[in-house]
Amino acid sequence: MIDIGVNLLHAQFAADRPEVLERAWRAGLRHIVITGTDLETSAAAADFVGSAGDERLSATAGIHPHDAKDAPPGWEAALRRLAARPEVVAIGETGLDFNRDFSPRPVQERLLRGQLALAAELGLPAFVHDREAGERVAACLRECADFDAGVVVHCFTGSAADLTRYLELGCWIGITGWVCDRHRGEELRRLVPTIPLDRLMVETDAPFLRPHNAPRDRHGRRNEPALLPYVIRQIAELYGTDERQIAETTAANARRFFRLS
């Protein structure tokens, strides 16, 4: 199993980060991609991977739409330097979020287009966020993205029309514990089986989106990579196949997409 999106440097993991990783490896994960959401967290993620010296860890580098308004002058050059580091395997998390609108929409789109252009220039995959902005995200991808380098729409929660657009463009789709949510995940459960298996990847987006089918523990609502098997269990049920096939197929997809060893 490969978890393509973990906010491992989030404050919720400050007290037990080594134990979180150890539980993940014991649960059967073979690789974790740590998500960068601004220049500071992206640099910290790359530093963490570099200091860990563990080939089972990689990082992304990007500026999340929530943080787009705070991007400093010269962010492109800073992101380019981060992207040159061997620990960094994708540009992102970038994208559009029209649900919370923490950054003005024109600023979000400017940062998305800039990061897609950088990913295309460097031949790196793009790790893309979409929350209630599917039509605009797809338009930006169509105009700016390099689909040969790869684009994954991570934590997909959109509509059938959104999914169709992304698949027609050639995107990969990342599915999280949202699919296990008894209330919010109903539409997603209907859509997941229509995703071609060779375009599917899985993630926890930890510490967020704890799978509802996971047993309760002392961590409460906190999610962690060791719970990825519960996401895979739900997906396997939706496809009418066994968990091992989903685990192996999504891991192979992630290795190909991120060029993992």
Side-chain angles (χ1 to χ4, degrees):
M1 293 177 286
I2 293 179
D3 191 337
I4 70 162
V6 179
N7 300 284
L8 190 64
L9 301 188
H10 193 278
Q12 291 191 48
F13 293 129
D16 64 342
R17 197 168 287 115
E19 291 79 10
V20 167
L21 285 173
E22 184 56 36
R23 284 192 291 271
W25 309 140
R26 288 203 307 266
L29 273 73
R30 294 292 176 261
H31 202 96
I32 290 172
V33 182
I34 303 172
T35 308
T37 56
D38 59 23
L39 294 178
E40 182 178 358
T41 62
S42 296
D47 288 344
F48 182 87
V49 173
S51 63
D54 191 332
E55 292 185 353
R56 295 173 295 183
L57 295 172
S58 299
T60 72
I63 301 173
H64 191 285
H66 289 344
D67 300 295
K69 66 182 184 302
D70 300 316
W75 66 264
E76 298 100 329
L79 191 55
R80 184 188 300 275
R81 289 192 294 271
L82 283 170
R85 298 183 58 168
E87 301 89 355
V88 173
V89 293
I91 296 295
E93 181 175 358
T94 183
L96 301 177
D97 193 307
F98 292 173
N99 173 265
R100 296 187 176 181
D101 284 314
F102 287 162
S103 293
R105 294 183 180 185
V107 176
Q108 292 186 45
E109 187 161 324
R110 176 170 58 82
L111 268 287
L112 170 58
R113 289 175 176 273
Q115 290 176 85
L116 290 175
L118 180 62
E121 177 189 338
L122 300 177
L124 285 173
F127 190 81
V128 175
H129 173 105
D130 163 24
R131 188 82 185 273
E132 299 180 15
E135 191 170 345
R136 287 308 306 155
V137 171
C140 292
L141 293 175
R142 191 175 293 111
E143 295 171 19
C144 303
D146 180 352
F147 294 99
D148 291 331
V151 174
V152 59
V153 180
H154 108 100
C155 189
F156 176 78
T157 58
S159 66
D162 293 331
L163 181 59
T164 297
R165 277 192 290 265
Y166 289 139
L167 291 174
E168 287 179 347
L169 284 170
C171 298
W172 275 260
I173 306 295
I175 299 296
T176 65
W178 190 288
V179 76
C180 308
D181 190 308
R182 292 181 294 273
H183 305 294
R184 297 187 299 174
E186 183 177 355
E187 182 177 11
L188 183 59
R189 283 192 292 276
R190 289 197 298 268
L191 293 177
V192 161
T194 69
I195 302 171
L197 281 176
D198 64 355
R199 289 285 157 171
L200 179 69
M201 290 187 274
V202 291
E203 52 183 320
T204 56
D205 201 28
F208 314 112
L209 300 177
R210 183 183 176 92
H212 282 196
N213 58 344
R216 295 183 179 182
D217 59 25
R218 64 185 177 87
H219 298 298
R221 295 178 61 184
R222 190 187 80 171
N223 194 11
E224 62 176 81
L227 301 182
L228 187 64
Y230 294 96
V231 179
I232 288 174
R233 179 177 300 175
Q234 177 67 82
I235 291 172
E237 181 180 319
L238 294 169
Y239 277 95
T241 188
D242 61 272
E243 296 168 36
R244 181 172 180 175
Q245 181 186 8
I246 298 299
E248 291 180 349
T249 300
T250 55
N253 291 345
R255 291 193 183 281
R256 184 169 72 252
F257 181 84
F258 291 106
R259 288 83 153 171
L260 303 176
S261 60

